[in-house]
Structure formats: structure tokens, C-alpha cells
Amino acid sequence: MVPPTPPARRAVRRAVVVGTGAIAHSHVRALRALGDRVEVVAAVDVDADRAAAFAAEWSVPRTATTLTEVLADGPVDLVHVCTPPSSHVALAEEALAVGATVVVEKPVALSLAETDRLLGAERASSGSVAVVSQHRFGSGVRRLRALVQDGSLGRPLVTTCLTQWYRADAYFQVPWRGTFALEGGGTTMGHGIHQMDVLLAVLGPWEEVSAMAARGSRPTQTEEVSVATVRFADGSLASVVNSAVSVRETTVMRFDLEFATVELTHLYGYGDDDFRVTAAPGHEATVEAAWARDPQGVPSSHRAQFLEVLDALDGGGVPPVPLAAARDTLELVAAVYESAFTGKAVRRGQIDADDPFWTAMDGTGATWR
């Protein structure tokens, strides 16, 4: 009798974390939760002491002050970019040049121009870019997306997307925060982008946006509040509010569809229990059965996305969320700024290389300047 063929052993992926601030701890914690599928081999930070402290806390064997030093040591599979936004593109290009897969925190770049430059580097590389979009990977959002796509809950009609957070003056004392030049924007770019990404993941392409933005109570050059109305390709509308001045913080997404209302209320991460589903009269049984489908039981997290990144690498595929998809979200963010600063509605695809908002999110200049 021929013994069964043992399953193929998966490669242990070698990962480097660049930038050892707060979000880097979330990355390493998530990677460690994936067991022996990945090994964090180095920590990089321009501050050698901070890199050393991070490496000691997480038992990382190597530290350096530049990514170049680490890449010279030998092959690397994953480069996790956890630095301020203004350095994302240059670091990702360096990693792509050696064929590594780059996992980049949001926002992936300061502008559409930088994103398009990075897309060019990706096309020339055997590696790829995955943008951290952890809220796409909780089972609740994945299930909702599938139900919207197959029509089980009827057509989307109107959606509310609220990112109402609070950031005190001290938050903006970090040198790179609160500027278009180094952070790319304010609460729209840095906070609301996460929920706006979920909005597009569930509802699909957007067509047009009209927006306003305001600043006035925080020591920042960027907006503290933005409010936008978005029309989607299917004709549905969404109201999007982004705030850094809301004392009672909350994150709320409400999808009103033909047969049901689906509400998600959380703050910085959600689980299945954070969803509330209300069926339209006469559709109770259908909606209950649809919402009981898989997937179930997976909270939104870096771990959930990184697991799929490793699965994609093992299968020879492109890790999620690819750079092209992240660009769609960044284009919506850019359109919010352009509409807010010009007073005109902006259509998808309108911001091209001749548009000042392709080069920078403040384009022709913020209205309060």
C-alpha cells in the first residue's frame, strides 16, 4: 500500500518591520499570532535607541537605522512599512526593487501622483504592495459585501459612514502630524479613510462626491472635520462624516437596503456582535437566513489581513488589498478635498495628472489659508 503524500511544508516567511512606533507593535503582535509561518528578522528605525527597545520587547534579532542595511543581509519576503506617511513610497520602492512583498499602513501615499509612481515600481518588480485595510477582513463586513453583491438584501439605497473621533491638541504636537506636506491631510486622510475603504469594499465604485471641510479649534494646518455626499455607480447615496473633535467617540456605518438595514457600531475594531440587522416587513426569514451564512466569528484585525497575505504568497497569488484597490479609496479621499476646497462636485476619474489635486491633497490650497 502506497503511503499518503504528506502535505507540502509552507515556507517560513522572513519579515522586516520598518518604523517602530505604536502601529508597529500591532503588526508584530499580529504576525506572532500566525505562529511559525513568519519570522520577524529585523526592526528598522531612524532612532537606533527606539529600534533597540522595540527589538528587545519583541525578541527581534536584528536592528538597523535604514532598510538598505537589512536588505543587504539577504533575502526578505515581507517588508512592513509602519513609518509616517511621507516616507511610505520611497521605502516601498526600495523593498520592491529586491522583489519583496510590501505591507504598507494607510495612507499608502500622500497623493495620487505618488501612488501612481508606486504602481509603476510595482509593475517593474516581482514583488507587490498590500495596503493595510484591516476592517475589510472581519467576517461581518465580508458577509455583508457578499450579500450586497448577490442581491440577498436587495439594492443599496442610502448609507451613513461616520468616523467621529477625538484628538486633543497634544496629538498634533508630533512633528509630521497636522500638515498636508507630511501627513497628506487631516481626519479625512488619517482617520476616515478606514471607513471610506469599507464603504467602497461593500458598495463598489463611486461616481461623484460633493464635500465641505472645516478647521478652527486644533493647532493644525489640515481639516478637523469633513462632510461629504457620495453617489455610487448603482445610484445609491452615502453621507460621510469625518471628525477629530467629537468628544464621545464612535464609528458607525449604516447600510439601508431594500430588504434590511445593517448597522455596524464600534470604535477602532469590530466583531460580529457589533452588527445589528433589521429586516423589512415581510423579509424577516430571508434576511435572517442570509445573515446566518458564513463567514462568522472573525473580528477585524491586522492578523486577519496578514493571514490572507501569507495564504496569497503561499498560493502564488497577489496579497490583499492590492495597491490598485487602495488607489480607488485614495481617489475618493482626494475628491473630498477637491470638492471641499473648490466648492464643486468631483467625478471619479476627473483627477488626472493635469489636476493640482493629483499632486497634493490640498491642491489649489485649503480654503482657510
Side-chain angles (χ1 to χ4, degrees):
M1 181 177 178
V2 178
T5 303
R9 180 173 175 80
R10 292 179 297 205
V12 178
R13 302 294 176 176
R14 291 168 52 85
V16 174
V17 175
V18 188
T20 57
I23 198 64
H25 293 265
S26 297
H27 278 240
V28 175
R29 187 177 296 110
L31 291 171
R32 290 286 167 82
L34 298 176
D36 62 1
R37 296 186 64 180
V38 61
E39 177 187 6
V40 181
V41 298
V44 177
D45 199 294
V46 293
D47 185 329
D49 291 337
R50 186 165 59 183
F54 181 89
E57 179 176 351
W58 292 103
S59 301
V60 177
R62 169 87 158 94
T63 64
T65 55
T66 68
L67 177 59
T68 305
E69 297 173 60
V70 174
L71 295 180
D73 291 345
V76 168
D77 300 298
L78 291 162
V79 174
H80 286 247
V81 177
C82 304
T83 57
S86 60
S87 61
H88 286 181
V89 171
L91 290 166
E93 287 176 325
E94 188 174 359
L96 287 171
V98 298
T101 293
V102 192
V103 180
V104 188
E105 272 292 337
K106 269 188 166 58
V108 63
L110 296 180
S111 66
L112 291 174
E114 284 193 352
T115 306
D116 290 342
R117 186 181 105 194
L118 187 55
L119 279 165
E122 185 182 49
R123 286 191 292 269
S125 170
S126 59
S128 58
V129 177
V131 181
V132 174
S133 309
Q134 70 271 26
H135 294 319
R136 289 190 182 214
F137 293 88
S139 53
V141 164
R142 294 182 65 182
R143 185 165 65 254
L144 176 60
R145 179 181 182 178
L147 296 177
V148 170
Q149 289 179 340
D150 69 19
S152 296
L153 302 180
R155 293 184 300 110
L157 301 174
V158 61
T159 301
T160 306
C161 178
L162 309 178
T163 305
Q164 293 173 295
W165 294 359
Y166 183 82
R167 297 294 183 266
D169 287 0
Y171 175 84
F172 298 98
Q173 300 310 307
V174 177
W176 55 268
R177 284 191 181 137
T179 68
F180 285 100
L182 297 178
E183 193 174 12
T187 192
T188 312
M189 183 75 149
H191 305 147
I193 191 171
H194 296 281
Q195 280 61 246
M196 293 164 73
D197 182 70
V198 171
L199 196 68
L200 299 189
V202 172
L203 296 181
W206 64 279
E207 279 195 348
E208 186 177 19
V209 62
S210 296
M212 291 184 174
R215 186 205 71 168
S217 66
R218 296 289 186 273
T220 173
Q221 299 173 17
T222 59
E223 84 288 355
E224 301 160 350
V225 176
S226 69
V227 179
T229 301
V230 183
R231 185 185 302 279
F232 284 82
D234 62 8
S236 67
L237 299 177
S239 177
V240 181
V241 176
N242 304 301
S243 168
V245 295
S246 301
V247 176
R248 187 181 71 80
E249 294 186 288
T250 188
T251 302
V252 179
M253 301 194 74
R254 172 175 169 147
F255 299 84
D256 290 315
L257 304 108
E258 282 184 291
F259 308 145
T261 290
V262 180
E263 297 168 272
L264 169 59
T265 303
H266 66 107
L267 188 51
Y268 301 134
Y270 66 83
D272 283 352
D273 291 343
D274 295 312
F275 285 82
R276 178 182 178 186
V277 181
T278 305
H283 295 274
E284 292 84 357
T286 301
V287 170
E288 182 179 358
W291 194 250
R293 296 180 196 169
D294 288 332
Q296 299 276 348
V298 179
S300 66
S301 67
H302 286 77
R303 180 192 180 280
Q305 181 170 1
F306 296 170
L307 175 61
E308 295 206 17
V309 168
L310 292 179
D311 287 346
L313 290 177
D314 289 344
V318 177
V321 170
L323 182 56
R327 188 194 189 281
D328 291 341
T329 301
L330 199 67
E331 183 184 10
L332 176 57
V333 172
V336 168
Y337 283 116
E338 177 160 355
S339 178
F341 294 158
T342 65
K344 300 176 182 178
V346 178
R347 297 188 63 84
R348 184 167 180 251
Q350 176 180 322
I351 304 176
D352 57 20
D354 295 324
D355 190 312
F357 289 88
W358 182 74
T359 306
M361 291 293 168
D362 57 340
T364 53
T367 52
W368 43 84
R369 288 182 182 174

